[in-house]
Amino acid sequence: MSTGHILSPDTQPVNPAISGTDEPVTMSVIEEIAATAEGTERPALIWGNTDRATTAAEALWVFARRTGLDGRGDDAFTAVQDLIANLMHLCEQEGITGEGVTFASLVSLAEMHFQAELEE
């Protein structure tokens, strides 16, 4: 589904009500969110969408540190995009996706879960 728009850090939507700014989210924000999970139980207890976002921030922060996208000026958009591309490689190489299961179908299922969780 194409909207005719090319997504980039400059065109990504931001939520000024949450971030207090119209600027793209930087990795320093992701680092702060990920830090809130330090010292918490393992496995993480998921009580709602904030907990889901926190565990995602943890994963994104580890990835960003490993790939050098953890600079204060680096934007989260790029790190998310690169992580998704790397997940695509993993799924293809390990047979998680393949005959009958595309990465797009995984994303579609994830979107369904996301939408259902918004209503919790």
Side-chain angles (χ1 to χ4, degrees):
M1 169 170 65
S2 175
T3 61
H5 294 88
I6 296 173
L7 291 179
S8 74
D10 296 328
T11 61
Q12 69 175 325
V14 294
N15 188 340
I18 292 172
S19 66
T21 179
D22 289 330
E23 298 298 317
V25 175
T26 63
M27 286 309 298
S28 61
V29 172
I30 301 303
E31 178 184 19
E32 289 175 27
I33 296 167
T36 65
E38 288 180 19
T40 60
E41 296 184 41
R42 303 284 191 243
L45 297 176
I46 304 296
W47 295 99
N49 293 332
T50 298
D51 295 328
R52 291 180 180 101
T54 299
T55 58
E58 277 186 289
L60 184 60
W61 181 243
V62 168
F63 174 79
R65 284 191 356 243
R66 175 67 72 173
T67 59
L69 293 171
D70 58 340
R72 295 247 170 236
D74 289 327
D75 60 81
F77 182 88
T78 300
V80 170
Q81 179 181 332
D82 284 1
L83 176 58
I84 292 170
N86 287 7
L87 286 170
M88 292 173 84
H89 288 293
L90 173 65
C91 288
E92 186 269 332
Q93 287 179 5
E94 296 305 316
I96 297 167
T97 56
E99 285 192 35
V101 179
T102 64
F103 194 83
S105 68
L106 292 177
V107 172
S108 181
L109 287 169
E111 176 72 17
M112 287 176 18
H113 285 266
F114 172 76
Q115 292 297 329
E117 291 161 356
L118 286 177
E119 298 174 12
E120 291 181 353

